[in-house]
Amino acid sequence: EKVLPSIMNETLKSTVPQYSASELIKQRELVSRQIRRRLVQRASDFGILLDDASITDVSFSPEYEKAVESKQVVQQQAERARFHVLKAHEEKKRAIINAEGEAKSAEMIGVAMSNNPGFVELRRIEKTKEISGLLGRSANRMVLDTDSLLLSLMDGSHGTAQ
């Protein structure tokens, strides 16, 4: 009566520590075959014929399960932190590209203004059209004269009409 439990404990204690917990789960069949082989061999030393043995349930201590869960939480937090770092790098790149585009735009406008004095007037007309379009779509009604819309096109001083 005492031989079989003793053989079982001895075999399990010599086999199980060779594997990590995840390997015990992933390689369950291999571990089961190894335990079966050792049990059959040890049982035969005592004249016991062992027909079959299998691992039916693998459980771990609550401390180990908590440690595994904590490890997974830490890994998820590390992944989240990596994502935030990548997002910050992408945001930085976007801001740099946007600033470079704005600088190039300002440079091009400066060159256009120095090469063509009518450019400023063209920009004024474009903005006036944009403002009047917004006001036209508004539910509020306003009456504005050309000076209010910066449309003083009659004189060259861009001030009030003379």
Side-chain angles (χ1 to χ4, degrees):
E1 289 180 17
K2 295 186 179 192
V3 172
L4 198 53
S6 171
I7 295 171
M8 288 289 293
N9 285 336
E10 176 187 322
T11 303
L12 288 172
K13 287 181 180 180
S14 68
T15 305
V16 171
Q18 296 175 10
Y19 300 94
S20 69
S22 63
E23 289 173 334
L24 284 173
I25 294 169
K26 291 177 185 173
Q27 300 176 2
R28 187 174 177 166
E29 280 300 314
L30 173 70
V31 174
S32 185
R33 280 194 306 265
Q34 189 174 3
I35 289 172
R36 185 180 311 120
R37 187 173 33 86
R38 287 184 179 176
L39 278 173
V40 168
Q41 183 182 26
R42 287 293 291 144
S44 68
D45 292 345
F46 292 94
I48 300 172
L49 179 62
L50 191 61
D51 185 32
D52 191 21
S54 64
I55 298 174
T56 56
D57 187 30
V58 177
S59 61
F60 301 102
S61 69
E63 294 84 17
Y64 180 79
E65 289 177 358
K66 285 180 184 177
V68 168
E69 184 178 328
S70 295
K71 179 183 174 186
Q72 289 174 340
V73 167
V74 168
Q75 287 174 332
Q76 289 172 351
Q77 289 171 342
E79 280 298 316
R80 191 176 304 117
R82 269 193 290 278
F83 170 75
H84 287 300
V85 168
L86 286 173
K87 184 178 175 183
H89 282 291
E90 291 302 316
E91 185 66 24
K92 177 183 168 185
K93 284 181 190 177
R94 186 196 62 77
I96 289 170
I97 290 170
N98 192 27
E100 288 172 349
E102 290 291 327
K104 185 68 174 172
S105 174
E107 179 185 333
M108 292 171 68
I109 289 172
V111 168
M113 286 174 60
S114 64
N115 291 342
N116 184 0
F119 180 78
V120 174
E121 195 61 34
L122 176 64
R123 293 292 284 200
R124 183 183 303 216
I125 293 170
E126 288 172 351
K127 287 299 174 187
T128 302
K129 284 174 58 178
E130 183 180 327
I131 291 169
S132 64
L134 288 172
L135 292 175
R137 287 188 298 274
S138 172
N140 299 329
R141 295 293 171 218
M142 295 183 176
V143 178
L144 301 172
D145 61 359
T146 57
D147 290 334
S148 299
L149 286 175
L150 305 173
L151 258 182
S152 303
L153 301 175
M154 302 309 282
D155 67 352
S157 65
H158 308 297
T160 58
Q162 294 178 346

